[in-house]
Amino acid sequence: MYDVIVIGAGPAGMTAALYASRSNLSVLMIERGAPGGQMNNTAEVENYPGFETIMGPELAYKMFEGVTKFGTENAYGIVTDIIDHGTHKEVVCEDKSYEGKTVVLATGCVHRKLGVKGEEEFSGRGVSYCAVCDGAFFRNKKLLVVGGGDSAVEEAIYLTRFASEIVIVHRRDELRAQKIIQDRAFANEKISFLWDSVLEEITGNEMAVTGAKVRNVKTDEVSEVEAGGVFIYVGLDPLSEPFKKAGLTNAAGWVETDNDMRTSMPGVFAVGDLREKTLRQITTAVGEGGIAGQQVYLYLEENNLTEAPTV
Ligand code: FAD
Ligand code: NAP
C-alpha cells in the first residue's frame, strides 16, 4: 500500500510526487508513456521561470531527474479505473492494480481531432499534431497549421525553421494566442493567414498529403490549397475517461477541485491540465502539483493514516 499514487508524469504529477516524497511518504507514479507529458511535444519553452528558453523535452528530463532523487517509484501502466475502498483506493491498470491511501490524478489532455475527411487517413503521412516530433520531415515544404490558439501560432513559428512557407488557417479573423506570440507570427515573413476559414478535407495521394479544401465561413467559397503537410492544433480534450465511473468529472469531462486540489472523493486530488480551469501552463501545473503533494500529507495526518508505509 502506497501513501500516494500519482497517475501521470507530466509537470503536475511529477511535482506532486516531488512534494509528497520530500514529506517522506511512499509514492508511486504511474505513466503510460515517457515522463514529461506535453512538454515532450513542445519545442521551446520561454515562460518557465529560471530558464530564458529551454526545449520542452530537456525541461521534462530535468524535472524527472529531480523527482526520482527523492525516492518516487515509477511504474509503466495505463490506468483504466479508480475504486474507492474508504481508507484506501484501488488504481486499476490494464493488467495490474495498485493500492494507495491517497491518489493524485494528473493525466492532462490530448490534442483534439479536427474530424475532417482525410485527417485519419493521412495521419503520420502529412497530418501531424506535434511540430517538435515531426517538423524536420517537412524541410522546404509549404505547410498548413490549423487553429488560432497558443499552440497553433507558437508551433507555426517553430515550423518556419524547416518549412518554406506556413499558412495558418483560423476559423475567425482574430487569434486567441497570447499577444507576444501573435506579434512574432505577424512579423515572420514565412507566415501568412487564411482568416475565417476551416478545413473541409485534407487531400493527398497514396504517398502523402498534397493539400486541403478550405472553406471561407463568411462566403462559403471552397478553395483548394496546396501543401505538403497539415499540423492541427484545435484545442484539447481531458484524458479523464478512467475517472468517469467514479463520478469525478463534470459534464464536459474535466475534473473539478477546490483550491487545495481536492476532488469530490476524499483522499483523491487532481492537478494540472485535467482540472476545470482557465490557464493551462507548465507553471500552473507545477503550482497545483506542489499544493496537492502537501495536501496529501495533511490528509494522511488528519485521518491518522501516516503510519510506516507497508509497500
Ligand atoms: P500533461 O503534460 O499532459 O501530462 C499528463 C501525463 O499523464 C502524460 O504523460 C500522459 O501520458 C499521462 N497519462 C494520461 N492518461 C494516463 C493514463 N490513463 N494512465 C497513465 N498515464 C496517463 N505551457 C507552457 O507553460 N509553456 C509552453 O511553452 C507551452 N507550450 C505548449 C505547446 C503545446 C503544443 C502544447 C499542447 C501545450 C503547451 N503548453 C505550454 C501547455 C503545457 O504543456 C501543459 O499545460 C502541461 O504540460 C500540463 O501538465 P500536466 O502534467 O497537467 O499534463
Ligand atoms: P486553445 O487555446 O483551446 O485554442 C484552440 C484553437 O483552435 C482556437 O483558436 C479555436 O478557435 C480553434 N478551434 C477549435 N475547434 C476548432 C475547429 N473544430 N475547427 C477549427 N478551429 C478550431 O488550444 P491550444 O492552443 O492547444 O492551447 C491549449 C492550452 O495550452 C491553453 O491553455 C494554452 O494557453 C496552453 N499553451 C500555452 C503555450 C504557452 O504558454 N506558450 C503554448 C501552447 C499552449 P477559436 O479561437 O475561434 O475558439
Side-chain angles (χ1 to χ4, degrees):
M1 171 95 63
Y2 290 90
D3 286 325
V4 55
I5 297 176
V6 177
I7 309 172
M14 286 198 281
T15 312
L18 175 69
Y19 273 65
S21 59
R22 280 176 58 87
S23 293
N24 218 15
L25 303 178
S26 60
V27 184
L28 174 70
M29 188 162 63
I30 305 175
E31 168 59 54
R32 62 174 191 174
Q38 292 286 359
M39 293 188 295
N40 290 323
N41 305 328
T42 303
E44 278 160 19
V45 177
E46 289 186 327
N47 54 0
Y48 191 73
F51 298 96
E52 196 180 321
T53 175
I54 183 165
M55 297 300 282
E58 192 188 345
L59 183 57
Y61 182 72
K62 282 182 187 292
M63 281 191 196
F64 186 63
E65 266 189 328
V67 177
T68 45
K69 200 167 122 190
F70 292 101
T72 290
E73 280 181 40
N74 293 285
Y76 167 80
I78 302 172
V79 173
T80 55
D81 201 0
I82 169 170
I83 302 166
D84 189 7
H85 294 290
T87 51
H88 78 276
K89 326 288 165 202
E90 188 181 341
V91 174
V92 183
C93 292
E94 280 181 321
D95 52 357
K96 197 172 175 183
S97 285
Y98 299 92
E99 289 184 341
K101 296 173 192 169
T102 62
V103 178
V104 177
L105 316 179
T107 48
C109 300
V110 70
H111 289 302
R112 190 174 294 152
K113 295 267 169 67
L114 197 51
V116 297
K117 195 166 169 224
E119 181 178 18
E120 220 43 70
E121 186 187 344
F122 292 107
S123 185
R125 290 195 293 143
V127 172
S128 172
Y129 305 85
C130 180
V132 74
C133 322
D134 301 332
F137 296 122
F138 295 89
R139 275 180 210 282
N140 303 318
K141 296 224 156 91
K142 176 180 171 184
L143 299 177
L144 303 183
V145 174
V146 187
D150 285 339
S151 295
V153 183
E154 199 165 56
E155 300 307 304
I157 295 168
Y158 174 75
L159 284 167
T160 59
R161 293 172 183 214
F162 311 103
S164 57
E165 185 187 343
I166 308 268
V167 181
I168 295 181
V169 183
H170 184 38
R171 63 183 178 184
R172 293 187 291 133
D173 61 1
E174 205 183 355
L175 296 172
R176 176 182 293 277
Q178 297 165 51
K179 186 76 170 60
I180 187 169
I181 300 174
Q182 292 193 24
D183 289 347
R184 278 187 205 156
F186 292 141
N188 192 313
E189 285 177 357
K190 281 192 175 177
I191 298 179
S192 62
F193 294 84
L194 266 179
W195 300 112
D196 300 313
S197 298
V198 291
L199 257 59
E200 289 273 280
E201 182 182 343
I202 296 166
T203 51
N205 53 33
E206 55 290 339
M207 298 289 288
V209 164
T210 54
K213 288 183 183 161
V214 179
R215 180 171 59 85
N216 183 299
V217 292
K218 288 194 169 149
T219 62
D220 252 352
E221 195 183 313
V222 177
S223 53
E224 298 206 9
V225 183
E226 274 184 29
V230 179
F231 282 76
I232 298 170
Y233 292 103
V234 293
L236 304 165
D237 286 325
L239 281 168
S240 61
E241 200 53 42
F243 319 125
K244 282 191 176 150
K245 215 160 75 185
L248 295 171
T249 55
N250 66 18
W254 304 98
V255 177
E256 292 185 14
T257 73
D258 65 11
N259 288 341
D260 289 328
M261 309 302 138
R262 287 184 284 231
T263 69
S264 55
M265 187 187 285
V268 176
F269 303 79
V271 290
D273 277 10
L274 178 72
R275 289 179 63 232
E276 174 70 64
K277 63 175 181 177
T278 50
L279 188 62
R280 294 194 167 83
Q281 296 274 284
I282 301 167
T283 48
T284 54
V286 160
E288 292 160 22
I291 293 171
Q294 175 67 2
Q295 284 300 321
V296 158
Y297 174 77
L298 295 175
Y299 173 88
L300 293 171
E301 284 265 292
E302 280 160 15
N303 292 280
N304 298 315
L305 294 168
T306 46
E307 76 272 14
T310 52
V311 180

